[in-house]
Amino acid sequence: MEMHLDHEQKMLLDTVKRFMEEELYPHEEEVDRTGRVPLELGRQIEKRAIDAGLYSANLPEDVGGGGLGYRSLALMEREYGKTSHALHSWIGRPTEILLACEGDQIEEYLLPCVRAEKRELFALTEPEAGSDIMSMKTTARRDGDDWILNGSKHFISGPVMPDFAIVFAATGVDETPRGERKRITAFLVDVGTDGFDISEGTHCVSYRGYHTFEMSFSDVRLGARHILGEEGRGLELSGKWLGMGRVWVGATCCGKAERLFGMAAEWAANRKQFGKPIGQFQATGFKLADMAIEMKAADLMVMNAVENAEKGTMSDADAAMVKVYCSEMLNRVADNTVQIYGGMGLMEELPVQRLWRDSRLERIWDGTSEIQRHIITRSILRPLGA
Ligand SMILES: Cc1cc2nc3c(=O)[nH]c(=O)nc-3n(C[C@H](O)[C@H](O)[C@H](O)COP(=O)(O)OP(=O)(O)OC[C@H]3O[C@@H](n4cnc5c(N)ncnc54)[C@H](O)[C@@H]3O)c2cc1C
């Protein structure tokens, strides 16, 4: 989509595009085929991202980050979305939740992440608690001034074995007008702490080479200094940042859709059957038209959410709408692209099948489409008292 960019945004986009051409695209196929990003390659991407000023671009300048505004970040994420998460996640964008670090936590966790000296994971999901996060079984109980953590997490993802995890655990129960509600607290838990086991989990067919980890906690002793933010306020803390995360998912979906669309249009213009380009058959041409309409709508939704976020008026429902629409748009675009390619769309030697496989995850992580629709429904019915 034609976007009006200022000088700085054009320069940023040029830098990101050049970086991707030189550092990421050349490795896509091998990473997907082997299911791994060699550590040396990951570290090289990380180092060159620091040199290019792209590392930690999402964090404020006063902590050493790039200090980019939401619009610039959306442009950047949109571009990254064209390639595999397994590769672009090496260009670290530490989770903004770390900005809640206080006192010694700043030197111990936040700043090393900004400088690529440490990597974190965000550990919320459990085997029995996916969409229904309040059913989490991981607990931390008080023991004097300490906390004792027990439980497990799965599907916790990142490019590489982390140095620490932000682990969400129930630390009690609150009485609320709607009944009992678990108090959820976020803890900073170092890999290597006694009782904390972390290992690689099962392999996902989307973004091969991007790892998921399983974690178990057996009487892990933590001090008050390991609490991120306030005790009992973990969900509010994560909720503060999750909304923008969903907008970034939307932006990456727009980028991936644009890449797929380019392939589909090219194929439709060049592949001939019955003596003419298949794009000239209405059944194919209209697929392209529908894809173009939806892609434009998705881009406009992302930009609208970004404008609202800049004004401080973006709601949870706005972010949920972006996540649902963009991820489902991408899946329709990916499916149509496979259809336009015919049998070739499923052949391993072409990238279409990989982008189609990668697209599928976008409707699931960061909250499934169904959960986003719950958020939107709630925003409609709650004001009416239902
Ligand atoms: C590759 C990958 C990486 C991930 N990375 C992370 C990470 O870094 N950190 C992290 O914490 N989590 C991570 N996740 C977890 C991800 O957020 C969850 O997979 C997602 O929230 C869905 O949970 P679930 O898989 O347990 O599915 P379930 O919750 O079991 O849902 C299964 C189906 O039931 C539907 N469903 C459930 N409840 C309802 C309802 N009330 N109404 C309607 N439909 C419903 C869902 O929409 C879905 O279609 C990752 C997952 C994957 C696959």
Side-chain angles (χ1 to χ4, degrees), residues 122 124-125 130-131 155-157 212 361 364-366 368 370 374:
F122 178 89
L124 189 60
T125 305
S131 302
F155 286 169
I156 308 307
S157 60
T212 66
L361 177 59
I364 293 176
W365 65 0
D366 272 289
T368 63
E370 291 76 14
H374 272 297

Side-chain angles (χ1 to χ4, degrees), residues 37-108:
V37 179
L39 192 58
E40 320 77 69
L41 173 62
R43 294 294 176 209
Q44 177 179 300
I45 296 170
E46 198 174 67
K47 172 162 187 325
R48 293 189 179 161
I50 296 169
D51 295 344
L54 296 174
Y55 205 92
S56 296
N58 58 322
L59 295 183
E61 281 174 312
D62 59 6
V63 299
L68 293 187
Y70 287 140
R71 196 176 157 85
S72 298
L73 287 172
L75 292 171
M76 196 179 79
E77 293 296 337
R78 188 182 189 283
E79 219 44 49
Y80 290 156
K82 293 178 183 173
T83 191
S84 168
H85 209 91
L87 285 161
H88 74 69
S89 56
W90 281 93
I91 308 169
R93 282 90 81 205
T95 172
E96 289 86 350
I97 295 174
L98 287 173
L99 294 172
C101 282
E102 284 179 357
D104 292 346
Q105 292 175 343
I106 295 173
E107 282 296 335
E108 206 175 332

Side-chain angles (χ1 to χ4, degrees), residues 121 123 138 149 153 165-169 185-189 196 215 217:
L121 290 183
T138 299
L149 181 68
K153 300 283 174 186
I166 303 163
V167 179
F168 292 81
T185 303
F187 291 90
L188 299 159
V189 189
F196 175 19
M215 302 175 173
F217 311 97

Side-chain angles (χ1 to χ4, degrees), residues 7 29 78 80 88 90 107 117-118 146 164 201 267 320 336 340 370:
H7 179 64
E29 271 169 39
R78 188 182 189 283
Y80 290 156
H88 74 69
W90 281 93
E107 282 296 335
E117 292 158 8
K118 281 190 179 178
D146 290 344
F164 68 96
W267 192 270
N336 274 331
I340 289 172
E370 291 76 14

